Amino acid sequence: MNFTELTIEDKKIFDKYIKPYNFKTCEYSFTNLYIWRRAFHIQYTILSDGTLILMKRDDRGNYYFMEPIGYKDKNLSKVLDKLILYKKENNMAYLFRDVEEPFIQKLKEMSDYEFSIEEDRDSFDYIYESEKLISLSGKKLHSKKNHVNTFMRSYDFKLKKIDDNNAGDVMEMAKHWVKQNFCVDYLYFELKGVQDILNHIGKLDFEGMAIYIDNKAEAFTFGERVNDDMAIIHIEKANVDIDGLYAFINNAFLKNYYYDVPFINREQDLGIDGLRKAKLSYQPYKLEKKFIVKI
C-alpha cells in the first residue's frame, strides 16, 4: 500500500466517502483530519476495491489505522488481511485506533482473527444536548448561566462571523492565547490548524464566530454541522483574563449557529485533567467511546 499525505485538494475525495456523515465521533470529519494532519502525520490510500484507508501517528510516534471507510462487508476479510500484513511488515504497535463501536461489532464477527480490544478513555468524545447548552437551565448548569450573565453585564461586546475580513484579528488572538498558556506540542499544532482554517475560508466546511471587546477579538470558535443530528465544535479559544468569556462563547455560538441541531460533539479531553473537568462540568448527554485494537 502506498500512502499519500493529506492536502486541501483531497476534500472532494473525502466528501464522497464521509458524506452523509454517519459517524458518531469527530475523527472522520475532513476538517478535523486537515487541522491535525501535521500533528498526527495523517496519510491515506484507496484500495483496489474502493476502500479508503487512513493512517495516523499517535503522540508516542506509533502508527495505526483508523476505521476503514467505504468497504463492503463481503470484502472486509481481504481488507483486514492487507492491513495486518502491512502492520507486521512495518512493526506497528497496534492495528486500529479511533474505532467506533459498530466497527468493533464487525471485528468480533471475524472468526479468523483474535483481536485485543480496549476502550481509549482519553479519546472519548463528549456529546451534549444542544438545547441544554443553550438554555443552561437546571441546578447543575446554574453556575454556567451565572458566568454568561456576568460577562454580558460587564462588557460591551460584538459577535462577528469569521470571514476574510477579520481572519487576521482571529489569528492574532490565537497567538495571544498560546502565549497565555503553557505551549505544549499539541497547542503549537492547533495554532497551525487555526491558520489552515483561516487560509481556506470557503473551502473547508465550518462556521466561525469571534467575540470583539473594544474592537479587539478576545474569543473565537469554529464548528461544523456534519449532519442533521450533530455539529462538532473543533476549536474554541477565549482570553482567560475575561471572566465568563468561555461560558459565553460556548452558549452564544450555539444560539446563533446550531440551535436546530439536537446534539453537539465537543471532542475529547486528551486525558488532560483540567480539560476533562471542564467538559464534565457541562453535563454531557453521553461519552462516545473509541477503541484501540491489537491483534
Side-chain angles (χ1 to χ4, degrees):
M1 294 187 292
N2 296 314
F3 285 87
T4 301
E5 295 189 5
L6 201 66
T7 70
I8 191 66
E9 284 73 28
D10 295 320
K11 185 178 184 299
K12 291 181 180 180
I13 296 173
F14 277 72
D15 282 350
K16 292 178 182 178
Y17 282 89
I18 294 174
K19 292 185 176 180
Y21 195 88
N22 295 317
F23 294 96
K24 301 296 184 183
T25 64
C26 66
E27 303 293 347
Y28 298 86
S29 150
F30 180 79
T31 301
N32 183 289
L33 292 166
Y34 189 70
I35 290 171
W36 295 102
R37 71 191 189 284
R38 295 186 187 90
F40 302 121
H41 194 206
I42 298 174
Q43 307 166 65
Y44 77 95
T45 190
I46 299 176
L47 303 182
S48 58
D49 69 349
T51 303
L52 174 65
I53 303 297
L54 283 157
M55 185 166 64
K56 292 172 69 174
R57 179 184 62 202
D58 67 14
D59 56 2
R60 296 182 180 180
N62 295 314
Y63 282 88
Y64 62 91
F65 299 114
M66 296 177 67
E67 184 175 323
I69 305 174
Y71 65 87
K72 294 179 174 61
D73 286 352
K74 64 181 181 180
N75 293 335
L76 183 55
S77 290
K78 293 181 179 179
V79 171
L80 289 173
D81 288 342
K82 290 182 179 181
L83 299 184
I84 290 168
L85 178 61
Y86 188 94
K87 172 191 177 298
K88 291 179 179 178
E89 290 177 344
N90 293 274
N91 297 314
M92 296 166 67
Y94 30 73
L95 186 61
F96 295 114
R97 283 188 69 170
D98 303 334
V99 173
E100 297 187 359
E101 287 193 86
F103 187 67
I104 290 297
Q105 294 305 314
K106 287 192 178 293
L107 289 180
K108 288 180 177 179
E109 296 168 3
M110 304 294 299
S111 58
D112 293 341
Y113 297 108
E114 185 175 345
F115 296 106
S116 170
I117 299 168
E118 61 182 273
E119 295 183 355
D120 187 7
R121 173 61 182 87
D122 292 349
S123 294
F124 285 8
D125 279 4
Y126 288 74
I127 311 298
Y128 303 85
E129 295 171 279
S130 61
E131 186 277 329
K132 290 186 177 179
L133 291 184
I134 290 172
S135 67
L136 296 177
S137 59
K139 185 177 180 180
K140 291 182 178 180
L141 293 174
H142 184 68
S143 64
K144 305 297 183 184
K145 196 165 192 174
N146 284 342
H147 287 310
V148 171
N149 291 335
T150 296
F151 172 80
M152 294 180 70
R153 287 195 303 267
S154 303
Y155 295 94
D156 184 14
F157 61 88
K158 291 183 179 179
L159 308 181
K160 293 187 180 182
K161 177 182 178 180
I162 295 175
D163 56 27
D164 289 327
N165 294 319
N166 58 12
D169 296 344
V170 172
M171 194 64 208
E172 285 304 310
M173 192 273 143
K175 292 177 180 177
H176 175 69
W177 188 93
V178 169
K179 290 178 181 178
Q180 280 186 309
N181 295 270
F182 180 65
C183 187
V184 293
D185 287 345
Y186 87 90
L187 291 181
Y188 166 77
F189 286 115
E190 187 179 57
L191 182 64
K192 297 295 290 184
V194 171
Q195 188 172 46
D196 287 333
I197 289 175
L198 295 172
N199 286 340
H200 296 293
I201 293 174
K203 292 184 179 180
L204 291 171
D205 298 325
F206 73 88
E207 293 81 30
M209 187 185 80
I211 297 177
Y212 279 71
I213 300 172
D214 295 331
N215 295 316
K216 181 181 178 182
E218 296 287 6
F220 69 89
T221 184
F222 296 108
E224 177 184 8
R225 184 191 299 257
V226 291
N227 56 37
D228 291 339
D229 294 323
M230 187 173 75
I232 300 172
I233 306 302
H234 291 299
I235 294 176
E236 180 184 88
K237 301 297 177 192
N239 187 334
V240 295
D241 294 330
I242 299 177
D243 188 28
L245 184 52
Y246 261 114
F248 178 74
I249 192 170
N250 182 330
N251 182 258
F253 189 47
L254 301 187
K255 281 182 178 177
N256 284 273
Y257 289 87
Y258 300 134
Y259 57 88
D260 57 343
V261 181
F263 297 103
I264 305 298
N265 182 329
R266 292 184 60 82
E267 302 192 348
Q268 60 268 67
D269 61 35
L270 304 172
I272 301 170
D273 290 340
L275 195 55
R276 178 168 297 185
K277 183 178 179 181
K279 288 181 183 288
L280 288 172
S281 71
Y282 274 95
Q283 306 301 312
Y285 169 75
K286 69 178 297 188
L287 299 185
E288 197 65 56
K289 294 180 178 180
K290 300 174 197 173
F291 297 85
I292 299 171
V293 179
K294 299 179 182 179
I295 187 168

